[in-house]
Amino acid sequence: MQKPVTFLVVFFCFQLSLMAQTIASPSDFLGYEIGTQFSRNHQVIEYFKTIEKQVPNQLKLETYGKTNERRSLYLAYISSEENIKKLETIRENNLKNIGLLDGESSADDIAIVWLSYNVHGNEASSSEASMLTLFKLLTEKQEWLKNTVVIIDPSMNPDGRDRYINWYNETASQPYNIDRQASEHNEPWPGGRPNHYLFDLNRDWVWASQVETQQRLEVYNKWMPHVHVDFHEQGINEPYYFAPAAEPFHEVITDWQRDFQTEIGKNHAKYFDAKGWLFFTRERFDLFYPSYGDTYPTFMGAMGMTYEQGGHGMAGLGILNDEGHVLTLIERLTHHTTTGLSTVEIASKNAKKLNTEFAKFFDNSNLKYKSYVLKGNEDKLNSLKALLNKHSITFENATTSKVSGISYATGKQGSLNINSKALVVHANQPKGKMVKALFEPNAKLSDSLTYDITAWSLPYAYGLEAMASITKVPSETLLSKKALQALTDTYGYVSKWNSIEDAQFLAELLKYNFKVRFTEKPFTSNNKKFERGSLIITKGDNKHIKNFLETLNTIAQEQAQTLTEINSGFSQTTPDIGSPDIKLVNKQKVAVLSGEGTSSLSYGEVWHFFEQQLHYPITSINTADLGDINLDRYHVLILPNGNYRKVFTDDNMTKLKDWVRAGGKVIAIDGALRSFAGKDGFSLNYKTSKDSKDDEQKQNLTSYADREREYSNNLITGAIFKTKVDNTHPMAFGYDDHYFTLKLGSSAYSLLDSGYNVAYLDNIKVYSGFAGQNALKSLDQTLVFGEEPMGSGSFIYMVDNTLFRSFWENGKLFLVNSIFMVNNNAYEL
Ligand SMILES: [Zn+2]
């Protein structure tokens, strides 16, 4: 029997209102008005879980990984009941639409919007906004969900967020204090912005050195959203920034992406104007460096955007800014909620167009360079392949013996002989624009005033020979890897030394207490030539290792390390294995300074490198404790980039020098060199150009309006230079006689007159990126890496930070060499 229609209508209205009632608001759930307290990460997640229980047909929550501190990472899929049911079909259709999945797409009218919150842990209004946005979508904005899948990452960096919030809760007054000098507005080192290893996750999208990024990319590349928003906060005096972005825009960005950014911005402006809220667009936040939460999605075809609310780690629950306005957390999260919803609205209204334009972006048949060909060290090729896999970028092996095009080694037209091991990356593939952005020799810069580094070209970063070819290079699917042969019982085993994989192998051997030698001179044995730095493991040295051969074999297999067998200590060409030129590697005890004075980013890079890449123990020492600690317990002390003015008091400097004279090694990175330059007893000195006085004068006469641009003449914002390398010095073992360095600033140091200039700039030329004319003047004949011996020990200078954001793969061995091979004092502590 059919029920009367009126009854059905009443019944449905009742159901709808019941549903609205059963969705808890954030304030109801939290037990306080949202924005009057900071919600801890677990509360944010619990709210999403609660809503999932209340409307399971419209919200699907999944974990996509874990942080270093074991917090789970979540994504929430929010849409209409109908869409949630066919979520997998929608995802597959989207991939089919852009050629990432075979088959015909059955629909192209659903927009996919991905909203990412709180990548910087102390920009804490955004996770609060994620809760309110979810609530509003499900209660007031159902209409948009009919043709939109919203993916919310409520907390991308929960370790950082909780670091900030736990500190704030411990510190803040009640009620909150709006005086910015109050402790609640001044975060202690290192602050809540970065993740556990103190990496800036909003610089890590391409390099994917961090677990949060790696796990996120797996899902991101499975979904490939049409819109991606990264929610941030800026200084307390800047009101709000949203799209359209500022110049420079990277070349790969299409007209459609430019235009639609403006449309999105105008939609936000409508809401902000109605409330009288201030905002700005088209300034400061550009779209050039590919590793951000706005550029990465943009180069992957999406509308990638950054939204910046005034606030940041300084703002707390409320703060008085320079304009006499009390900026509150409630206000901050309200703005972020408004732009989040406005984004979903405009995506929903343009769902069809988003799909068709998105598909067009993935046609890459017209890119200038058709193929990038790379050859060189197999380990380096393999680590590049691993990076490409993280982005689902495909690659093959060459099937030709010669390729011509632009040579990365010279920056000019040339040719390169290759074999089937050479890697070929074609631009005409779905991810082709990202391929271009990552590989092309020199990205075109429409404006030198950018927010970040201007060079990152992968062949330089990985230390590979490469050509960019305007014709498609013949290639075929990659050869499978050969299995390693088991070692046989003989006199000894030799390993090459020219990659981080070799360094990891050494670290593993040292962990198992193997005695390992390295050679300071090339030698030949068993008809094979071994270069400087080669590792030698002999049976005779390792009688203390139980099951020596079996253990060595296991380690070599696990690390995929090829070893060459030698059957005698008598070499065909000297040195023999017992020679003083072949030394035992000392199991170095390494310490690093952390805390006030050090750059948290640089310290984090060292920490992460030792724990997660080299797998070698390191002791962190707080700068505040330097005066009290016993340095004699360590062989090596690393000083990350930083400002050590307050750290190196006269007493601490004397202590450091005495320790070095007695055999210690200091490795100073980037800004740490300022502690020694021009100081008594050091040969390290600043270099200034002869006409820097003239330049200064010229600047003083520059108009107010042009001052910023004129000043950029003094800057180097991440540019690539070629250095000369003394690869007979242990710090450069495993390197060629040249090395491409990423220069991050214009600091210039003269060549050492007492010490070793291991790598230096000679005949400077910018291979990629921006370098101001004035900055270049003082850079010729300056130090990049060097060693200054003092007593029995050494100061090792690294002007350029090879661990910067952990992506300059080819520079990392300089640091490892400095630890294990330079001034290798084989004494036991
Ligand atoms: Zn931020």
Side-chain angles (χ1 to χ4, degrees):
M1 198 184 81
Q2 284 241 309
K3 286 186 173 105
V5 172
T6 45
F7 176 81
L8 262 183
V9 171
V10 171
F11 177 77
F12 272 120
C13 292
F14 177 69
Q15 280 291 90
L16 276 175
S17 68
L18 193 73
M19 201 169 85
Q21 276 167 9
T22 52
I23 300 179
S25 74
S27 300
D28 285 345
F29 169 81
L30 295 165
Y32 49 81
E33 202 56 42
I34 189 165
T36 58
Q37 300 286 341
F38 283 109
S39 312
R40 291 192 178 83
N41 182 66
H42 76 88
Q43 293 175 289
V44 176
I45 300 305
E46 280 307 317
Y47 179 68
F48 275 78
K49 284 184 179 169
T50 302
I51 303 302
E52 187 192 29
K53 277 191 200 124
Q54 292 176 347
V55 276
N57 299 333
Q58 282 206 267
L59 168 59
K60 201 174 143 269
L61 197 61
E62 72 171 26
T63 65
Y64 68 90
K66 264 193 169 29
T67 67
N68 293 294
E69 295 173 17
R70 303 184 309 280
R71 290 182 179 88
S72 292
L73 296 161
Y74 289 89
L75 286 172
Y77 300 85
I78 304 127
S79 196
S80 66
E81 216 172 303
E82 197 191 334
N83 290 335
I84 290 292
K85 262 189 234 150
K86 54 173 192 190
L87 207 53
E88 185 59 9
T89 312
I90 294 173
R91 185 185 75 79
E92 287 179 358
N93 272 338
N94 185 43
L95 296 188
K96 286 174 184 168
N97 189 28
I98 56 177
L100 279 173
L101 201 65
D102 289 337
E104 199 63 31
S105 168
S106 59
D108 62 353
D109 51 3
I110 305 279
I112 303 168
V113 179
W114 185 308
L115 306 175
S116 289
Y117 294 91
N118 233 143
V119 64
H120 290 144
N122 62 356
E123 297 170 11
S125 73
S126 73
S127 286
E128 309 287 345
S130 77
M131 293 188 276
L132 195 55
T133 305
L134 171 70
F135 179 68
K136 296 219 174 224
L137 281 173
L138 288 171
T139 52
E140 298 168 19
K141 310 296 182 192
Q142 286 284 350
E143 194 58 29
W144 302 339
L145 298 179
K146 286 181 184 161
N147 70 346
T148 309
V149 173
V150 181
I151 305 174
I152 290 185
D153 187 334
S155 188
M156 299 165 85
N157 174 17
D159 293 351
R161 178 179 172 86
D162 273 0
R163 186 183 317 125
Y164 171 72
I165 284 163
N166 289 336
W167 163 79
Y168 183 84
N169 288 340
E170 286 167 13
T171 311
S173 338
Q174 284 191 7
Y176 59 81
N177 188 337
I178 61 167
D179 176 357
R180 81 167 65 167
Q181 297 196 61
S183 60
E184 67 201 66
H185 299 302
N186 294 282
E187 276 187 282
W189 191 99
R193 177 184 173 93
N195 76 342
H196 171 78
Y197 281 110
L198 308 182
F199 271 64
D200 184 336
L201 294 178
N202 189 33
R203 305 291 186 277
D204 192 49
W205 279 75
V206 165
W207 319 128
S209 66
Q210 301 302 297
V211 289
E212 292 89 346
T213 317
Q214 289 158 14
Q215 298 168 122
R216 184 188 335 114
L217 284 180
E218 271 186 40
V219 205
Y220 187 95
N221 280 296
K222 259 172 64 187
W223 269 96
M224 298 293 286
H226 306 137
V227 178
H228 180 266
V229 181
D230 209 28
F231 289 88
H232 287 264
E233 293 193 78
Q234 54 189 347
I236 57 170
N237 296 311
E238 277 97 55
Y240 201 99
Y241 160 84
F242 49 71
E247 293 291 337
F249 275 46
H250 194 283
E251 256 191 301
V252 299
I253 298 172
T254 63
D255 289 345
W256 147 258
Q257 286 175 315
R258 281 178 180 263
D259 295 345
F260 200 59
Q261 281 224 352
T262 305
E263 243 179 275
I264 294 171
K266 285 185 175 164
N267 205 52
H268 299 344
K270 187 177 73 189
Y271 292 105
F272 274 56
D273 288 347
K275 300 271 188 189
W277 298 336
L278 290 170
F279 60 87
F280 66 94
T281 65
R282 289 160 290 177
E283 284 183 83
R284 194 169 304 174
F285 302 99
D286 62 71
L287 293 173
F288 194 64
Y289 171 74
S291 206
Y292 285 123
D294 53 10
T295 44
Y296 182 90
T298 301
F299 299 1
M300 290 291 196
M303 302 302 311
M305 295 170 293
T306 287
Y307 298 165
E308 300 266 354
Q309 163 63 46
H312 215 264
M314 188 187 231
L317 291 175
I319 191 168
L320 184 67
N321 77 7
D322 286 352
E323 298 189 338
H325 172 66
V326 177
L327 175 67
T328 63
L329 179 61
I330 294 175
E331 183 186 339
R332 289 152 60 198
L333 79 90
T334 306
H335 294 168
H336 266 343
T337 304
T338 303
T339 52
L341 291 172
S342 166
T343 306
V344 178
E345 177 186 32
I346 195 147
S348 166
K349 285 184 176 160
N350 294 277
K352 183 97 183 163
K353 182 102 171 135
L354 272 172
N355 275 273
T356 48
E357 292 295 336
F358 193 59
K360 282 186 206 162
F361 182 93
F362 291 84
D363 172 8
N364 293 311
S365 51
N366 282 329
L367 294 172
K368 179 181 163 196
Y369 295 115
K370 302 296 180 210
S371 304
Y372 300 90
V373 182
L374 301 102
K375 79 167 203 183
N377 183 309
E378 209 176 321
D379 290 341
K380 292 175 184 174
L381 283 169
N382 284 337
S383 65
L384 177 61
K385 287 180 204 167
L387 180 75
L388 298 179
N389 281 332
K390 286 177 186 166
H391 305 295
S392 318
I393 291 172
T394 60
F395 45 81
E396 298 193 315
N397 274 127
T399 52
T400 179
S401 58
K402 195 170 185 176
V403 56
S404 50
I406 294 293
S407 156
Y408 286 67
T410 60
K412 293 179 195 139
Q413 191 71 28
S415 65
L416 189 67
N417 292 323
I418 53 172
N419 60 24
S420 60
K421 281 185 179 167
L423 189 69
V424 180
V425 186
H426 297 301
N428 193 6
Q429 60 169 302
K431 305 281 174 73
K433 294 202 175 64
M434 186 57 97
V435 169
K436 172 182 160 76
L438 298 181
F439 281 91
E440 72 183 340
N442 203 348
K444 196 170 139 199
L445 194 59
S446 61
D447 190 322
S448 56
L449 291 177
T450 156
Y451 201 68
D452 211 292
I453 60 170
T454 53
W456 48 78
S457 182
L458 292 180
Y460 296 118
Y462 280 76
L464 293 162
E465 277 192 81
M467 301 294 281
S469 166
I470 53 167
T471 52
K472 190 176 175 186
V473 173
S475 65
E476 64 184 9
T477 317
L478 292 160
L479 313 161
S480 57
K481 250 200 201 161
K482 267 189 285 171
L484 286 184
Q485 294 232 315
L487 302 170
T488 61
D489 186 11
T490 187
Y491 174 84
Y493 311 84
V494 187
S495 159
K496 69 175 182 63
W497 181 262
N498 51 24
S499 73
I500 282 301
E501 286 68 23
D502 302 332
Q504 287 165 336
F505 175 63
L506 171 64
E508 192 68 6
L509 291 175
L510 294 177
K511 189 160 100 190
Y512 287 94
N513 288 315
F514 275 79
K515 294 240 184 258
V516 183
R517 294 177 185 274
F518 71 100
T519 181
E520 288 207 336
K521 288 185 181 158
F523 70 97
T524 310
S525 186
N526 274 26
N527 298 319
K528 217 176 155 189
K529 189 181 176 198
F530 299 103
E531 300 296 337
R532 290 185 173 86
S534 298
L535 304 177
I536 302 128
I537 307 117
T538 69
K539 196 162 73 177
D541 276 336
N542 288 287
K543 288 181 186 132
H544 60 289
I545 305 277
K546 243 171 76 181
N547 305 325
F548 163 73
L549 187 61
E550 200 187 321
T551 316
L552 180 63
N553 218 346
T554 308
I555 295 173
Q557 293 285 342
E558 276 171 10
Q559 308 261 324
Q561 191 74 11
T562 308
L563 297 177
T564 307
E565 299 183 354
I566 51 172
N567 53 24
S568 168
F570 191 95
S571 302
Q572 282 159 293
T573 59
T574 56
D576 292 323
I577 304 305
S579 154
D581 291 325
I582 294 187
K583 295 175 171 163
L584 269 180
V585 175
N586 183 27
K587 198 169 172 178
Q588 303 279 334
K589 292 201 171 66
V590 185
V592 56
L593 287 186
S594 66
E596 287 297 343
T598 65
S599 144
S600 60
L601 290 169
S602 179
Y603 161 70
E605 285 153 6
V606 175
W607 180 20
H608 181 260
F609 178 71
F610 276 78
E611 282 190 9
Q612 297 296 331
Q613 296 173 67
L614 193 58
H615 306 292
Y616 191 80
I618 188 164
T619 303
S620 292
I621 292 173
N622 200 295
T623 49
D625 301 328
L626 184 61
D628 299 323
I629 58 116
N630 179 5
L631 279 178
D632 294 340
R633 305 235 292 251
Y634 314 101
H635 298 100
V636 181
L637 178 66
I638 301 176
L639 312 183
N641 183 22
N643 182 342
Y644 291 85
R645 205 165 31 87
K646 290 183 190 157
V647 177
F648 288 114
T649 57
D650 290 350
D651 282 355
N652 278 347
M653 186 61 94
T654 307
K655 177 175 176 167
L656 192 73
K657 281 178 167 172
D658 287 349
W659 173 73
V660 169
R661 281 191 197 99
K665 257 192 303 195
V666 165
I667 301 174
I669 300 172
D670 194 357
L673 271 71
R674 288 196 295 264
S675 311
F676 314 116
K679 300 275 165 66
D680 196 29
F682 293 92
S683 84
L684 184 71
N685 268 303
Y686 295 109
K687 189 178 174 211
T688 47
S689 80
K690 283 192 276 315
D691 34 42
S692 60
K693 264 267 172 294
D694 296 346
D695 293 337
E696 226 170 86
Q697 183 106 42
K698 201 170 141 206
Q699 258 162 49
N700 292 337
L701 294 173
T702 304
S703 73
Y704 178 81
D706 294 336
R707 206 51 88 80
E708 193 184 3
R709 201 156 291 277
E710 174 67 27
Y711 184 70
S712 72
N713 274 329
N714 300 327
L715 299 179
I716 291 174
T717 47
I720 298 170
F721 296 86
K722 192 176 183 175
T723 64
K724 269 199 175 172
V725 175
D726 170 10
N727 60 7
T728 67
H729 187 282
M731 191 180 178
F733 283 175
Y735 284 93
D736 290 332
D737 59 4
H738 67 272
Y739 162 77
F740 287 97
T741 194
L742 176 67
K743 222 164 223 323
L744 298 164
S746 48
S747 299
Y749 299 91
S750 318
L751 298 180
L752 301 170
D753 43 42
S754 92
Y756 301 96
N757 296 291
V758 180
Y760 58 97
L761 291 170
D762 181 41
N763 244 328
I764 51 165
K765 169 183 162 180
V766 184
Y767 280 76
S768 185
F770 174 79
Q773 283 311 310
N774 297 347
L776 286 176
K777 284 179 195 162
S778 44
L779 224 49
D780 206 20
Q781 295 290 311
T782 61
L783 185 71
V784 174
F785 305 129
E787 183 203 359
E788 178 171 2
M790 186 180 284
S792 311
S794 296
F795 280 87
I796 292 161
Y797 304 126
M798 303 188 81
V799 177
D800 294 344
N801 175 11
T802 59
L803 297 185
F804 176 72
R805 293 181 191 167
S806 192
F807 84 98
W808 204 258
E809 284 301 320
N810 196 34
K812 292 174 181 175
L813 200 62
F814 281 111
L815 177 66
V816 180
N817 283 338
S818 303
I819 291 159
F820 293 106
M821 296 190 176
V822 177
N823 200 346
N824 171 66
N825 293 315
Y827 57 88
E828 293 286 333
L829 291 177

